[in-house]
Amino acid sequence: MFPCLSPRGDGDESDHSETMTKQCAARGCTEGTTGYSTLCDNHKHIQRRHGHPEQGGITVHRLRPYLKRVEARRAKNKDSDAWSILEARWSALEAHAQGILAEWASGKAMVSAQVQAAQQLQALSGSVPPSTIVNTALAMFLMRDAEPRRFASDRAFDFQLVRRVRGLAPVNAGSYWNHKAQRTTKVYRDLPPRVAELLGRQLREAFGLAGFMLAEKERAEEAKAQDQQRRLAEALEALA
Ligand SMILES: [Zn+2]
């Protein structure tokens, strides 16, 4: 069901054979590297956390204007099927995660990243309304469309998408109720990169196309408003 993860490195899998200290490959960084890495320790850490050594974290504050646009769009189109379809997509992700956790609980050998990704989804599903998750994911796609330079790579975008969606859960989804074991199970706070990649892909596949189309709509409306403004200015100038 899951395609293989691409073997993109965490900065410590470069093929440089020299072990002498070199300058960190991150733009503007003058620190030295250690071992076989092309990155200094700080940028290695950033790469693990954000999916790219030059990616900064997208904060709730930065995302807010885009979230407001999504909420406004929803308010204007309350009866649209789009919202229920998108929420159903989230439910499908939840169900998929439940299935994985059930298989895992039954003792089946599983890929650890899959189990961890499922735990994250489970933790979210118990604590955040689907509409909030959908809005946040769509807002991220609007942001990427409007500010492409904020994202150092597609992978870095996926990591930020995961970060903002996870951030919706109280205490960052620190645990979830394990039904099978009848106890609360802790989940990883700092996501291993493979888990972030997997979650990012799942969210992108669920909401990416809708996000892209919504961004196009936003852009078209903005262009139309600017055109009207320009025509008004021209008409006013032409007044006798
Ligand atoms: Zn560095």
Side-chain angles (χ1 to χ4, degrees):
M1 179 150 277
F2 289 95
C4 286
L5 290 167
S6 60
R8 271 180 290 205
D10 297 339
D12 43 15
E13 291 166 16
S14 89
D15 54 8
H16 289 273
S17 51
E18 311 145 49
T19 51
M20 61 181 242
T21 300
K22 294 185 303 275
Q23 193 167 312
C24 173
R27 216 180 315 159
C29 182
T30 54
E31 291 296 313
T33 63
T34 50
Y36 292 100
S37 180
T38 57
L39 299 168
C40 69
D41 288 346
N42 181 37
H43 282 107
K44 248 193 283 188
H45 174 74
I46 295 171
Q47 165 139 303
R48 273 186 71 80
R49 191 159 176 204
H50 290 314
H52 189 285
E54 288 157 24
Q55 179 66 46
I58 301 295
T59 61
V60 177
H61 177 73
R62 285 244 179 264
L63 189 61
R64 190 161 297 135
Y66 300 100
L67 197 55
K68 286 230 159 21
R69 286 195 213 174
V70 176
E71 285 166 357
R73 184 71 62 180
R74 223 186 236 268
K76 261 202 283 185
N77 302 272
K78 280 204 184 76
D79 300 327
S80 166
D81 283 341
W83 317 118
S84 54
I85 293 169
L86 289 170
E87 281 156 31
R89 288 193 171 183
W90 172 251
S91 302
L93 279 184
E94 280 176 6
H96 181 66
Q98 263 173 15
I100 284 177
L101 292 176
E103 276 187 80
W104 185 56
S106 75
K108 197 177 166 209
M110 311 282 291
V111 177
S112 147
Q114 272 191 20
V115 174
Q116 288 181 51
Q119 288 173 336
Q120 293 290 331
L121 290 172
Q122 184 86 333
L124 275 165
S125 79
S127 54
V128 185
S131 58
T132 307
I133 287 165
V134 168
N135 286 0
T136 297
L138 293 178
M140 283 298 294
F141 287 100
L142 289 192
M143 184 178 198
R144 185 174 64 170
D145 188 78
E147 303 180 64
R149 285 188 191 161
R150 278 217 187 274
F151 301 99
S153 66
D154 288 348
R155 184 174 190 256
F157 172 79
D158 282 1
F159 275 53
Q160 295 308 308
L161 175 60
V162 169
R163 179 183 151 94
R164 288 283 40 102
V165 167
R166 282 183 78 212
L168 294 169
V171 293
N172 213 6
S175 61
Y176 76 104
W177 177 249
N178 186 330
H179 193 73
K180 189 94 175 175
Q182 288 294 305
R183 64 183 164 82
T184 300
T185 303
K186 275 199 186 312
V187 298
Y188 291 82
R189 254 157 221 277
D190 262 331
L191 282 191
R194 286 170 70 89
V195 181
E197 276 179 17
L198 192 50
L199 279 170
R201 190 189 309 131
Q202 288 175 322
L203 291 172
R204 179 159 40 79
E205 284 173 0
F207 306 120
L209 183 61
F212 174 76
M213 291 180 72
L214 200 56
E216 288 229 301
K217 205 166 186 54
E218 292 279 323
R219 239 186 299 130
E221 283 180 12
E222 197 163 313
K224 198 174 152 193
Q226 276 175 6
D227 186 55
Q228 272 179 0
Q229 201 68 23
R230 183 184 55 78
R231 290 200 345 249
L232 175 63
E234 280 174 5
L236 288 172
E237 262 180 56
L239 287 179

